[in-house]
Amino acid sequence: MESKSERGPASMKTKTLMSDLKSKYADKSWNETIQLVRRCMEKTKGDGRVCEPITKCLEKINEALNVSSLAAMVSRLEMIAKQKGLGSHLSPTETVCYLTADMFYIEVVLLPGGRVEDVRAAHHGEAPVSSPSLLQLLRMKKFQEFSLKLDDLVSFYNIQGESDVKVKVYTALRHLETDLFKISHLPRSLRESDLHIDLIMNGRIGNVQPGRDGSPMTIEYYISPLDVLTGLSGTGEVSGGRVALVTVGSSDVSHRLQMQSLISSPPQVDSFGFPVFQPLTESCSELLPATFLLKLQPPLPMLNSFIEKMGKITDGVMSEKHLQVEPLPQLLLKTNKKQNSKISWTDWVQFVVPLPASEYHSYVFPGAEWGRESCKGALIHTVPFDHPGHVPALLDVLRHQAAINVLLASCFSNHNQLKDAGLQYDLRCEVLPESDHYLSVTFSLDDGNHLAVLQVTVVDSNQVSCRLLMPDFVDHKLDDFISRVLMRCMSIPITMRAIRRKVSSLTTHPLPAADPELTTAMESTSTPHSGESVPEIISAVYPSASVSHEAIEEERMASSPGYYVMSVASPVADNVNTDAVANPSPCASLGVYSHWVTSGLPAELL
């Protein structure tokens, strides 16, 4: 009772003050109110928490206002600078707003009415360069996206130490980018008919795009068939793959980083086509409290065993310490934007996956099996390293994990309300882990009296091997057919649908394992089921992909029998340099981590 009486007068006083403020400024414009709040914020000293309510209030006011004047644009830019810890000021002529940091600055050239004429970015010691992307964002008044771009600039210098240390780290990053470009342009053999897809999936450094407008270099390193179809349906261009930004980060331990390019121009290669690196000596490198980083977008759920592989590649720079581990399917559920957030990981999780022709599959993930330590992993946001030669091998591990994730996530669905609807499943499957890159799918045959097992081995991102175990039946041609189907669609439900139809036909018309007609049918089949293409099936299973009829026809005409966008073997495109065929991961000959060759890793990663 006493506390209530104490709070009562204070509450009444606050209401009175607010009423007085409202009446005092009722006739004032929003611009005048904003300027008053800003002046009050600038005069506030001491505990910064005092300004938090005012800051939030000012942000909401700015976001609600339409930026239609010079003063409003300046106010918005100053607010963004303050949020990012940057300084800001106007030129004497009040036509240029500067957003400043110790190591870079942004010039925003303004016009009357709050319009933007140009945006220029300048790193330390470099002349300002016009930034079309930043200019476009401000002209379209996409201030949130503009703010995120500033984060990229800040990340270049988010290093402990004085300005000279930050300059050296930035210099090292520029030389790293030069070497990554040299590696990406080394001649190699082609595996895919689509050159862009081949570059992403098989390029030593993936699809590399230089840093522009103050943004980091980007590497697109993996894309699934669904990503390809989704991108084609929307813009006519492939998009939606997994990307890594090449940047830097602070480190508690100093690392020797290059201060010049380590690959000669033109690059020298050994007899295996591997790049020859200059040794990291004191004359061409320095010890700095930083590492290079591959910043993964989106973050990638990874098994502990794969994280350990990356640690061996980087000689301990990449560490699994202090990572929060969870079962891999649980991590995939949390990071899947299209997945129902209400689904929780329990003793077992069941998904109902609808397919074309009103076919429904049930996929069960036993929690006890997937909860074993060997099946746990962590969500990886950044991969630290300190040598350009690490990147190809790191990307191979990332691609391998991404392929496993795509296969597991293909069994997820938001149609769980169908579980309680008395639905008769066409196929009931149980997905079990056998090792870090090997899983099995157990299902019942159409007669309901026998079980069959599909064993799936993800050798790497470009090779998936399948084996079907059925009672009293063995046919390696059927295994080869299933492997091709799975590689083409990277979807377990679509593959299980093809198996079910094939097994059904064999049950109705049994054939000897070595029957020539069956062999011919297996070798000539290029889609999971006669009359249906992979794009059509994927479109039916994933309506959100919205694959247009034109896109399907283009894919059908572009793909000859035997391969799709993720083909195992594709014809070589004309006029492409395929000399000096080399391992796509030129890492085994690097002295910086030659011990990796004998560390017991799988041969496919060497």
Side-chain angles (χ1 to χ4, degrees):
M1 294 295 293
E2 186 175 335
S3 60
K4 285 186 178 180
S5 62
E6 289 177 354
R7 288 199 299 265
S11 178
M12 290 299 296
K13 185 176 180 180
T14 301
K15 290 182 179 179
T16 303
L17 286 172
M18 294 300 296
S19 178
D20 291 343
L21 283 172
K22 288 179 181 178
S23 61
K24 181 177 181 180
Y25 293 98
D27 298 330
K28 300 288 185 181
S29 67
W30 275 113
N31 285 337
E32 289 182 81
T33 304
I34 291 173
Q35 294 301 323
L36 176 62
V37 174
R38 289 179 62 247
R39 286 197 297 270
C40 292
M41 289 177 63
E42 291 169 357
K43 291 180 180 180
T44 304
K45 304 294 181 182
D47 191 354
R49 289 175 295 179
V50 177
C51 292
E52 287 182 6
I54 302 177
T55 301
K56 292 179 180 178
C57 181
L58 180 62
E59 290 175 358
K60 291 181 179 179
I61 292 173
N62 269 310
E63 290 170 0
L65 288 175
N66 181 27
V67 178
S68 57
S69 67
L70 183 64
M73 177 59 79
V74 171
S75 179
R76 180 62 67 91
L77 292 173
E78 289 177 343
M79 184 187 75
I80 292 173
K82 195 172 187 68
Q83 290 173 339
K84 301 301 176 185
L86 307 178
S88 62
H89 64 272
L90 276 174
S91 65
T93 59
E94 297 188 351
T95 57
V96 181
C97 182
Y98 293 92
L99 310 183
T100 61
D102 292 340
M103 308 305 297
F104 73 91
Y105 65 88
I106 301 290
E107 296 179 2
V108 182
V109 183
L110 302 171
L111 296 171
R115 291 177 292 122
V116 180
E117 181 180 12
D118 194 14
V119 179
R120 295 188 285 262
H123 287 278
H124 182 83
E126 299 179 1
V129 178
S130 292
S131 172
S133 64
L134 294 178
L135 175 62
Q136 185 71 6
L137 290 175
L138 287 183
R139 283 183 171 175
M140 297 176 66
K141 299 179 182 178
K142 294 185 176 181
F143 297 106
Q144 184 175 1
E145 289 84 348
F146 177 80
S147 179
L148 292 175
K149 283 284 188 179
L150 292 184
D151 285 336
D152 292 337
L153 279 168
V154 172
S155 68
F156 282 128
Y157 302 103
N158 189 20
I159 303 297
Q160 300 174 356
E162 301 297 331
S163 295
D164 60 334
V165 174
K166 295 181 179 181
V167 171
K168 290 178 180 178
V169 172
Y170 178 73
T171 302
L173 179 63
R174 287 304 186 214
H175 289 304
L176 169 71
E177 292 176 350
T178 299
D179 284 346
L180 293 183
F181 267 114
K182 291 179 180 179
I183 296 174
S184 69
H185 285 84
L186 289 175
R188 62 182 180 84
S189 60
L190 296 178
R191 300 184 186 181
E192 306 290 341
S193 61
D194 187 309
L195 298 184
H196 183 69
I197 301 299
D198 186 77
L199 191 60
I200 295 173
M201 296 297 297
N202 305 312
R204 293 179 178 86
I205 312 290
N207 181 26
V208 180
Q209 296 297 326
R212 295 188 181 93
D213 311 333
S215 299
M217 169 188 280
T218 62
I219 297 175
E220 192 174 7
Y221 64 90
Y222 184 84
I223 189 166
S224 70
L226 178 60
D227 291 331
V228 173
L229 291 173
T230 304
L232 286 173
S233 65
T235 62
E237 297 179 359
V238 175
S239 61
R242 290 191 168 272
V243 172
L245 305 182
V246 182
T247 182
V248 290
S250 289
S251 173
D252 295 333
V253 179
S254 294
H255 295 271
R256 188 165 292 280
L257 303 182
Q258 62 189 94
M259 299 306 294
Q260 64 184 50
S261 174
L262 301 180
I263 303 176
S264 61
S265 295
Q268 295 182 358
V269 296
D270 60 19
S271 58
F272 298 99
F274 299 153
V276 177
F277 291 89
Q278 177 183 344
L280 279 175
T281 61
E282 293 185 1
S283 61
C284 67
S285 65
E286 286 202 31
L287 282 172
L288 298 169
T291 63
F292 301 128
L293 294 177
L294 292 177
K295 186 177 180 181
L296 307 184
Q297 294 186 339
L300 186 67
M302 297 196 73
L303 289 166
N304 289 334
S305 59
F306 283 79
I307 297 174
E308 292 173 2
K309 290 175 185 178
M310 294 196 295
K312 293 178 180 179
I313 293 171
T314 61
D315 198 14
V317 178
M318 174 70 183
S319 174
E320 68 274 14
K321 294 180 180 178
H322 311 301
L323 293 175
Q324 184 176 355
V325 297
E326 297 177 81
L328 182 60
Q330 184 176 1
L331 289 171
L332 293 173
L333 281 174
K334 289 183 176 180
T335 56
N336 192 336
K337 295 181 179 179
K338 298 178 182 179
Q339 191 59 44
N340 190 336
S341 59
K342 296 181 180 179
I343 297 177
S344 59
W345 186 259
T346 56
D347 291 338
W348 62 277
V349 178
Q350 179 185 5
F351 299 96
V352 179
V353 180
L355 288 101
S358 299
E359 184 173 327
Y360 293 91
H361 293 186
S362 167
Y363 291 90
V364 173
F365 287 76
E369 296 295 327
W370 287 99
R372 297 181 312 208
E373 286 301 316
S374 59
C375 301
K376 290 184 178 181
L379 189 60
I380 302 300
H381 294 78
T382 58
V383 180
F385 63 100
D386 57 12
H387 194 282
H390 295 161
V391 177
L394 289 174
L395 291 181
D396 273 353
V397 178
L398 294 174
R399 286 165 172 157
H400 195 175
Q401 181 68 70
I404 295 172
N405 293 354
V406 167
L407 287 178
L408 291 177
S410 70
C411 299
F412 297 167
S413 170
N414 282 329
H415 297 80
N416 290 333
Q417 68 273 12
L418 298 173
K419 289 189 296 185
D420 303 324
L423 185 69
Q424 294 296 319
Y425 304 123
D426 296 277
L427 203 61
R428 295 175 179 270
C429 304
E430 185 179 53
V431 183
L432 296 171
E434 304 296 341
S435 72
D436 59 358
H437 63 285
Y438 166 38
L439 60 91
S440 65
V441 182
T442 304
F443 61 100
S444 60
L445 300 177
D446 287 345
D447 58 14
N449 298 321
H450 298 88
L451 291 178
V453 178
L454 175 65
Q455 298 177 336
V456 179
T457 303
V458 185
V459 180
D460 55 36
S461 59
N462 288 295
Q463 185 178 354
V464 177
S465 175
C466 297
R467 184 183 180 190
L468 182 62
L469 303 180
M470 294 172 51
D472 304 321
F473 184 86
V474 176
D475 192 304
H476 296 300
K477 291 294 183 182
L478 181 58
D479 293 340
D480 180 64
F481 163 75
I482 297 171
S483 300
R484 294 203 313 270
V485 170
L486 187 56
M487 273 303 304
R488 287 157 56 91
C489 65
M490 291 300 288
S491 170
I492 290 176
I494 293 177
T495 305
M496 295 303 299
R497 179 175 186 265
I499 293 173
R500 178 173 175 267
R501 295 194 173 193
K502 186 64 66 176
V503 170
S504 178
S505 66
L506 293 176
T507 304
T508 307
H509 305 287
L511 295 172
D515 187 277
E517 293 183 8
L518 178 61
T519 300
T520 303
M522 297 302 176
E523 292 176 343
S524 63
T525 302
S526 60
T527 59
H529 184 65
S530 177
E532 292 179 310
S533 69
V534 173
E536 288 170 337
I537 295 176
I538 292 180
S539 181
V541 179
Y542 305 100
S544 59
S546 301
V547 183
S548 66
H549 177 73
E550 292 77 7
I552 292 174
E553 290 303 319
E554 288 178 8
E555 187 279 330
R556 180 182 293 155
M557 294 178 65
S559 299
S560 62
Y563 65 90
Y564 173 56
V565 289
M566 298 287 290
S567 62
V568 177
S570 303
V572 177
D574 295 333
N575 302 322
V576 177
N577 184 359
T578 58
D579 297 334
V581 176
N583 187 315
S585 302
C587 56
S589 64
L590 297 182
V592 292
Y593 56 107
S594 58
H595 64 280
W596 186 46
V597 180
T598 58
S599 64
L601 292 178
E604 63 267 14
L605 295 180
L606 296 179

